[in-house]
Amino acid sequence: MVLKDALFNLKQHTDICRFQKKLVKWYQTHQRKLPWRENLDPYRIWISEVMLQQTQVKTVLPYFFNFIDRFPTLHDLAKSDLGTVLKMWEGLGYYARARNFHKAAVIITKDLNGTIPDNFYQFKKLPGVGDYIGAAVQSIAFGHPFAVVDGNVKRVLARVHCIKHPANKPSSHNYFKKYADRLLDKNDPGTFNQAMMELGALLCTHRNPQCNTCPVSEFCKAFLSDKVARYPRRIKAKKVPAYHIAAGIVRKNGKLLITRRKLEGLLGGLWEFPGGKLKKHENAPSACIREIREETGVTARIESHLTTIHHAYTHFKIQMDVFNCKYISGPIHLNGPIDFKWIRLKDIDKFAFPKANLKFIPMIEEVRDDHI
Ligand code: SF4
């Protein structure tokens, strides 16, 4: 087939149908066996799609199993407190996903008779449901004709159509959406959407795409013109800033002081050890003592340096110096955190912490009451 024909073909109804059939046939044979594909339960599908945003399947799998085990139904999720939900999400990142999902479950239980809306526009009114989650859940669980556009789908579309718009530029999204809508199989949108995503995940990968076994290579403009490596185009990501943080494990009578972050924003609702960014020309121990005082009102003294950890978030990275501290004086006056607790080390697993904290928590040693 020559390139000119291929371009022409994907504008013709019959050839779009051929593309759909070939893709879906491949998917039916090659799809991965995944627990959320076992049935069309919208609750399971919704959980999986929320977890899979920005996260790989292999990372999601154990979280999915634990979550469904702990909250088998939407009602069980709605009944739970947010702290328990965040604990189940601990380490998965992007905690706004868990907070919104929990909020949505409460709304559905209270206001919608416990039934997940079988309507794209109603469903999209729920917290955390944007175009992607809306299209994925509504097409897969209910068969509604909305095309999904995630990173995998964009990569396939960019190559099939040689789309020059950068795939990672927000303003390109509608452009990709138009192509996705045009290709969507409206008779079985759920299967087609999953097939597109699976093609991007298994064959049309970022590196070394398997074009020779691709079911839609005959329609792929990049493949036919030997330009696969040029797509998708991307704008250069900005350099992420790096911050130096100091945090203190403050001990009093054998207990440790932990504080809870406010519910909104980064890592919202999680627990942590008090601390914060170093000021210009400030050293880590001074910043640690200052931050503990500013956030909690407590005066503490540094006993020893526990460790230094490094952690990368999506938009910045941190170096965190962690200190063992001794409580000296002062009642708790919170400024920033919304809650605090003095806990025994053995109880630490009951609370959800950010991943950066999880890196040093195993290094914290139990101290006898009479020691500190
Ligand atoms: S032929 Fe290659 S580049 Fe084109 S869709 Fe298939 S795997 Fe992707």
Side-chain angles (χ1 to χ4, degrees):
M1 178 178 293
V2 293
L3 176 57
K4 200 164 133 281
D5 290 337
L7 287 174
F8 180 72
N9 281 341
L10 270 188
K11 289 182 181 162
Q12 300 293 314
H13 176 70
T14 48
D15 293 302
I16 289 176
C17 288
R18 279 184 53 235
F19 178 99
Q20 293 165 347
K21 277 200 183 113
K22 288 195 164 228
L23 177 66
V24 167
K25 194 171 169 208
W26 167 83
Y27 173 70
Q28 279 159 348
T29 318
H30 294 90
Q31 64 174 288
R32 287 165 291 179
K33 227 172 141 12
L34 296 171
W36 47 87
R37 288 180 178 160
E38 284 167 10
N39 57 44
L40 295 181
D41 177 353
Y43 174 60
R44 288 170 72 97
I45 292 165
W46 190 3
I47 298 168
S48 71
E49 292 299 345
V50 174
M51 288 185 169
L52 285 165
Q53 282 187 307
Q54 324 275 349
T55 314
Q56 292 184 339
V57 166
K58 67 173 189 298
T59 309
V60 164
L61 278 169
Y63 282 93
F64 179 84
F65 285 122
N66 290 341
F67 201 88
I68 213 77
D69 205 40
R70 180 70 181 74
F71 310 117
T73 67
L74 189 95
H75 186 64
D76 296 315
L77 174 63
K79 271 192 325 202
S80 171
D81 62 285
L82 178 62
T84 309
V85 177
L86 289 172
K87 184 66 195 167
M88 300 304 294
W89 211 270
E90 186 185 55
L92 197 55
Y94 301 98
Y95 295 91
R97 297 182 296 179
R99 294 195 303 271
N100 283 328
F101 191 40
H102 180 244
K103 251 190 239 168
V106 172
I107 293 171
I108 290 172
T109 307
K110 276 194 185 154
D111 304 337
L112 302 173
N113 289 327
T115 307
I116 296 172
D118 176 0
N119 173 297
F120 179 79
Y121 300 99
Q122 249 193 347
F123 186 55
K124 263 196 69 180
K125 286 183 189 158
L126 293 165
V129 180
D131 280 343
Y132 172 77
I133 294 283
V137 175
Q138 291 294 316
S139 66
I140 299 169
F142 302 115
H144 295 311
F146 295 92
V148 296
V149 183
D150 69 350
N152 283 330
V153 172
K154 277 187 184 167
R155 189 165 54 254
V156 173
L157 291 172
R159 288 170 174 167
V160 167
H161 294 288
C162 281
I163 295 173
K164 291 194 168 59
H165 292 65
N168 61 341
K169 198 173 170 188
S171 60
S172 302
H173 187 81
N174 285 344
Y175 199 78
F176 281 91
K177 179 90 171 56
K178 270 187 210 155
Y179 278 99
D181 284 340
R182 200 165 71 195
L183 280 184
L184 181 69
D185 178 358
K186 313 253 180 337
N187 294 316
D188 189 357
T191 307
F192 180 83
N193 278 334
Q194 291 182 88
M196 281 290 275
M197 292 191 276
E198 199 77 334
L199 184 72
L202 298 185
L203 295 187
C204 195
T205 47
H206 179 55
R207 288 192 191 87
N208 305 320
Q210 308 292 306
C211 301
N212 291 334
T213 53
C214 175
V216 294
S217 59
E218 68 180 277
F219 304 98
C220 180
K221 191 177 164 188
F223 173 67
L224 296 170
S225 57
D226 203 17
K227 290 178 184 162
V228 171
R230 294 193 200 175
Y231 297 93
R233 303 232 166 133
R234 303 184 69 79
I235 44 172
K236 219 174 155 196
K238 281 189 205 144
K239 207 174 164 235
V240 295
Y243 301 117
H244 191 171
I245 310 271
I249 299 157
V250 181
R251 297 174 194 260
K252 180 182 156 192
N253 300 330
K255 290 186 174 172
L256 316 173
L257 176 61
I258 59 171
T259 54
R260 193 176 191 198
R261 295 174 69 90
K262 57 181 190 264
L263 295 182
E264 301 75 33
L266 181 79
L267 309 173
L270 297 191
W271 292 85
E272 63 184 4
F273 292 93
K277 280 184 213 162
L278 272 66
K279 289 184 173 170
K280 213 172 172 186
H281 306 307
E282 191 178 34
N283 63 30
S286 308
C288 178
I289 295 304
R290 175 184 54 75
E291 284 285 342
I292 290 168
R293 195 174 51 243
E294 286 176 6
E295 283 188 354
T296 68
V298 159
T299 300
R301 183 179 75 212
I302 287 185
E303 298 281 290
S304 61
H305 181 247
L306 177 70
T307 187
T308 301
I309 57 122
H310 294 87
H311 190 72
Y313 291 97
T314 317
H315 301 297
F316 61 93
K317 50 189 178 180
I318 60 165
Q319 171 190 327
M320 187 190 281
D321 276 298
V322 188
F323 297 93
N324 287 310
C325 303
K326 181 175 179 174
Y327 168 88
I328 301 294
S329 63
I332 300 276
H333 283 303
L334 294 180
N335 176 23
I338 56 168
D339 199 2
F340 76 96
K341 282 188 193 300
W342 290 100
I343 60 160
R344 299 251 170 222
L345 184 57
K346 68 177 171 54
D347 293 326
I348 205 160
D349 286 347
K350 293 178 185 160
F351 302 89
F353 285 87
K355 220 169 180 177
N357 282 216
L358 296 178
K359 286 184 175 176
F360 65 79
I361 284 175
M363 300 176 203
I364 302 175
E365 285 176 13
E366 189 71 81
V367 176
R368 292 197 325 271
D369 292 14
D370 56 356
H371 184 67
I372 289 182

